[in-house]
Amino acid sequence: MSALRDLIRRGDPAIWLAGTGLGVCLLMIGGMIALILTRGLGFFWPGQLVEVTLKNGTVLLGEVSGREIIPTPGAPAHLPSFRIQLKLGNRDLFGADYRWVDEEEIAARAWPADAVYIERREYGPLLGRIVKVTDGDRTIAQGPEPGWDALVPLIDKAEFDRTAIRRLERDEIGDVNARIELARLALKQDAGARELLERETAALTGQYTLLELRLGRLAEDAARTRVTIKVADGREKDLATVDVFRAYRANQLSTFERARVYASRLWEFLSSDPRESNTEGGIFPAIFGTLMMVILMSFVAMPFGIVAALYLREYARQGVLVRVVRIAVNNLAGVPSIVFGVFGLGFFIYFLGGTIDRVFYAERLPTPTFGTGGILWASLTLGLLTVPVVIVAAEEALAAVPRSMREASLATGATKFQTILRVVLPAAAPGILTGLILAMARGAGEVAPLMITGVVKLAPDLPLDGTFPFLHLERKFMHLGFHIYDVGFQSPNVEAAKPMVYATAVLLLVIVVLLNLTAIIVRTRLRRKYQTSAF
């Protein structure tokens, strides 16, 4: 008993309990990250295509995406039955991308060398064998091998055609559209110049018509070459090559070629626009929107947070009122984020945005410019949400600066303002940056307030582009957190959306880690610099 009392007196059980708690936390975090990384990064690796013949004669061709035990109540545990999940693609023909198949129902498996995996514009991937490649009414190639040789250069041409069509649609036609809109608004403002503006509008409309004809000819020319694919059940699918984004013969790829496909898919994921209701393609607009929103939010939260903390710590007379303000700030940090979203909707969008529209954009009403959700209002809302975190961290950092440093500065004749600016703030900078890191991490992961202040499912136009005034703060934007929510919970094609959810989650984690690492490196350098200068 005495040994047990000594053990408890030394606190050993508490240390073991604390160590166990830490280990469990690390295990859960590590498991979550490992799951997300495995599911997210594995999504881009091209698997083999297996042709499965069932006992009832049905033939399926697809990529094995999962295998699990079939839950059978009462069955012996040592004799489990398995089923595999096949990614069949061909949603326009089969109605679904995936199908579960019991292994007991499989009569034969084969890995055909001529099976092709085609990533296309819509309806998911197309899996099958090439029948022929045509150019208008002329057949260029017939059969799997000649067809593949003819298809490869057409895929490169398709990328060129899509770029030309996109440039024509977004740049040239978009520019003419914007000028027509400006002429219409000018007509509302200046009725005296009606004749001149109507002539300008007529000229622009004619130009728009010509561009539309040019776009039609370009699209028609691009759609002339086609490939015919025979799917597993014998049906044939005719597809324009301009709709083919990538194609490969999955069972003939070497490890190096698979790595090339993997890198190509990963780059497309990072750099291109989404397609197929965000379940395919890339998420570049969401990456851009998230980073830009975090930067704008930091510009709001950091100065306001530091100034507020400086006043509370250095200038305000300590008393009941200051204690009440500190309690209010601490409580604000714990308010649910959706409450900030509602405030942002009411104050920033309806009040501030509506006022700006009435004063500066009256000619555009009733169509709102700033009186609707946008990246500016979302950033301000998140800045308001995260500023208490910065205030608390900055005040703690200011309090940690030794009093002797202040007194030494004042003793040399420096004013209080000079002391704060040149001694206190630099010494407190590492702690202030810690608060900013926490604010950035929270802001990057928040979704609820964004859903009512400016984030959307799809925003083809970025808030920053080459069109004057270049920075469009009124535009809606995409966000990685909302993208995960939208794809994971709003997509009608759950199985196809699942890999995209994991891949986007990996990217969001990477961005948050990179933002934090950047701030930590800056903080460490500042800390080292001012520690050195103290001696």
Side-chain angles (χ1 to χ4, degrees):
M1 288 298 291
S2 61
L4 181 60
R5 280 199 298 273
D6 289 342
L7 194 70
I8 295 174
R9 188 165 52 84
R10 289 198 305 269
D12 287 352
I15 296 172
W16 297 338
L17 189 62
T20 305
L22 175 63
V24 171
C25 289
L26 291 177
L27 195 63
M28 288 193 296
I29 294 171
M32 181 192 71
I33 293 175
L35 174 68
I36 293 175
L37 288 177
T38 305
R39 298 289 182 88
L41 296 180
F43 166 58
F44 303 104
W45 186 258
Q48 288 193 317
L49 294 181
V50 58
E51 190 173 65
V52 173
T53 305
L54 304 183
K55 291 177 179 175
N56 62 6
T58 303
V59 180
L60 303 171
L61 178 67
E63 196 176 279
V64 178
S65 57
R67 183 173 185 261
E68 65 178 27
I69 297 176
I70 303 173
T72 311
H78 64 286
L79 294 174
S81 299
F82 289 89
R83 62 180 182 178
I84 58 173
Q85 187 184 41
L86 285 176
K87 183 180 180 181
L88 302 174
N90 310 332
R91 189 165 66 247
D92 48 339
L93 299 175
F94 299 154
D97 289 275
Y98 291 82
R99 176 173 170 176
W100 285 100
V101 179
D102 295 352
E103 288 188 339
E104 292 179 354
E105 299 297 320
I106 298 175
R109 302 189 194 204
W111 288 264
D114 56 353
V116 293
Y117 187 109
I118 295 177
E119 296 176 23
R120 53 181 171 167
R121 188 186 301 274
E122 56 184 1
Y123 300 120
L126 179 61
L127 279 59
R129 296 176 172 84
I130 296 176
V131 176
K132 62 181 178 181
V133 178
T134 59
D135 184 353
D137 296 332
R138 184 170 62 91
T139 300
I140 301 175
Q142 191 98 27
E145 197 63 34
W148 175 254
D149 293 338
L151 178 62
V152 170
L154 292 177
I155 296 174
D156 297 332
K157 179 178 177 298
E159 176 61 30
F160 176 80
D161 290 338
R162 285 195 298 272
T163 304
I165 291 172
R166 187 165 53 246
R167 187 179 298 123
L168 185 59
E169 281 180 327
R170 287 194 177 182
D171 297 345
E172 298 186 41
I173 295 181
D175 180 58
V176 172
N177 256 332
R179 288 162 62 191
I180 290 175
E181 177 63 12
L182 287 176
R184 186 185 68 81
L185 295 175
L187 194 60
K188 288 176 69 176
Q189 282 184 308
D190 188 3
R194 173 176 292 276
E195 188 178 346
L196 178 65
L197 291 171
E198 284 181 347
R199 278 205 304 272
E200 184 183 351
T201 304
L204 288 170
T205 305
Q207 192 176 346
Y208 178 85
T209 306
L210 290 176
L211 287 172
E212 268 202 328
L213 289 173
R214 187 176 148 203
L215 177 64
R217 285 197 298 271
L218 195 59
E220 187 179 349
D221 181 62
R224 203 179 63 241
T225 53
R226 309 183 74 83
V227 57
T228 303
I229 301 293
K230 186 177 183 180
V231 301
D233 64 359
R235 284 183 284 177
E236 293 187 355
K237 173 70 181 177
D238 189 45
L239 180 69
T241 55
V242 71
D243 292 331
V244 177
F245 285 74
R246 185 179 294 102
Y248 55 86
R249 291 185 288 188
N251 297 333
Q252 294 190 32
L253 294 177
S254 63
T255 304
F256 177 72
E257 288 169 332
R258 290 185 193 282
R260 283 185 57 188
V261 174
Y262 181 90
S264 169
R265 281 177 164 178
L266 185 60
W267 175 246
E268 181 193 24
F269 178 69
L270 296 175
S271 63
S272 65
D273 293 341
R275 61 178 194 272
E276 275 288 284
S277 301
N278 292 346
T279 59
E280 291 187 16
I283 57 168
F284 178 73
I287 299 172
F288 189 89
T290 304
L291 287 176
M292 188 168 173
M293 188 211 66
V294 170
I295 292 170
L296 291 174
M297 178 204 74
S298 302
F299 283 153
V300 174
M302 188 169 65
F304 280 102
I306 295 173
V307 168
L310 269 176
Y311 183 79
L312 287 173
R313 177 57 57 183
E314 302 292 336
Y315 290 103
R317 180 177 295 174
Q318 303 302 312
V320 176
L321 182 60
V322 170
R323 284 201 297 274
V324 170
V325 171
R326 284 201 179 98
I327 291 171
V329 169
N330 289 331
N331 286 335
L332 269 178
V335 171
S337 57
I338 190 65
V339 176
F340 285 93
V342 173
F343 175 81
L345 177 68
F347 181 73
F348 291 128
I349 297 178
Y350 290 158
F351 177 68
L352 275 184
T355 304
I356 291 173
D357 279 354
R358 285 191 293 276
V359 174
F360 298 103
Y361 300 97
E363 73 281 2
R364 298 188 180 186
L365 292 174
T367 304
T369 304
F370 281 93
T372 183
I375 192 167
L376 174 63
W377 305 135
S379 302
L380 289 178
T381 304
L382 281 190
L384 190 65
L385 185 148
T386 53
V387 79
V389 179
V390 180
I391 292 175
V392 172
E395 204 179 354
E396 292 296 328
L398 292 170
V401 177
R403 185 181 182 82
S404 58
M405 292 179 69
R406 291 181 171 84
E407 292 173 345
S409 174
L410 294 171
T412 60
T415 64
K416 186 169 184 177
F417 177 73
Q418 289 172 322
T419 300
I420 290 172
L421 191 65
R422 299 185 179 178
V423 176
V424 178
L425 271 181
I432 294 173
L433 274 175
T434 302
L436 185 62
I437 291 169
L438 295 174
M440 289 166 65
R442 182 173 181 189
E446 281 291 347
V447 174
L450 304 180
M451 294 170 70
I452 51 179
T453 54
V455 76
V456 289
K457 176 187 177 74
L458 183 63
D461 295 323
L462 298 177
L464 184 67
D465 60 19
T467 306
F468 185 81
F470 311 118
L471 183 60
H472 307 276
L473 294 175
E474 79 283 4
R475 283 184 182 171
K476 298 183 186 301
F477 68 106
M478 294 179 69
H479 183 268
L480 286 172
F482 182 76
H483 187 80
I484 292 172
Y485 163 77
D486 175 65
V487 174
F489 298 98
Q490 302 294 314
S491 174
N493 194 352
V494 178
E495 289 296 335
K498 202 185 296 181
M500 187 64 80
V501 171
Y502 285 112
T504 310
V506 170
L507 191 59
L508 184 58
L509 278 177
V510 169
I511 287 178
V512 171
V513 169
L514 286 179
L515 287 173
N516 288 350
L517 276 179
T518 305
I520 288 170
I521 290 171
V522 174
R523 183 184 65 183
T524 306
R525 289 185 176 178
L526 284 174
R527 184 174 291 165
R528 193 179 302 129
K529 175 182 175 183
Y530 289 107
Q531 279 178 346
T532 304
S533 63
F535 291 96

